[in-house]
Amino acid sequence: MARGTIRYWAAAKEAAGVPEEAFDAGTLGDLLAWVSRDPAVERVLRRCSFLVDGAPVGTRDPATIDLHEGAVVEVLPPFAGG
């Protein structure tokens, strides 16, 4: 288990009700399961991309991404631009 920070942006922040929170999780998959306990957050997470310490997760299975002590996970919903 690692202790770190998850940061929510845009719609994810609105759904979570906080801009960030501390977590204890061994993998990104564990962390996403924990934050998905709220159905509103879970709906947003389905459309999000993730960064772990600034590195994009891409299409990798979150269960295979180990989190280290002090990790920062960014939750990025799709952005509209113009």
Side-chain angles (χ1 to χ4, degrees), residues 5-13 16 19 21 28 31-32 35 41 44-52 72-79:
T5 303
I6 183 167
R7 293 183 181 148
Y8 304 101
W9 297 98
K13 181 169 123 178
E21 60 186 318
L28 180 59
L31 174 57
L32 297 179
V35 297
V41 174
V44 173
L45 289 181
R46 285 187 243 151
R47 301 185 318 260
C48 291
S49 57
F50 306 94
L51 302 176
V52 176
V72 176
V73 176
E74 311 273 347
V75 180
L76 306 170
F79 292 94

Side-chain angles (χ1 to χ4, degrees), residues 19-41:
E20 66 181 45
E21 60 186 318
F23 70 78
D24 285 305
T27 68
L28 180 59
D30 295 337
L31 174 57
L32 297 179
W34 177 70
V35 297
S36 291
R37 68 195 185 284
D38 179 332
V41 174

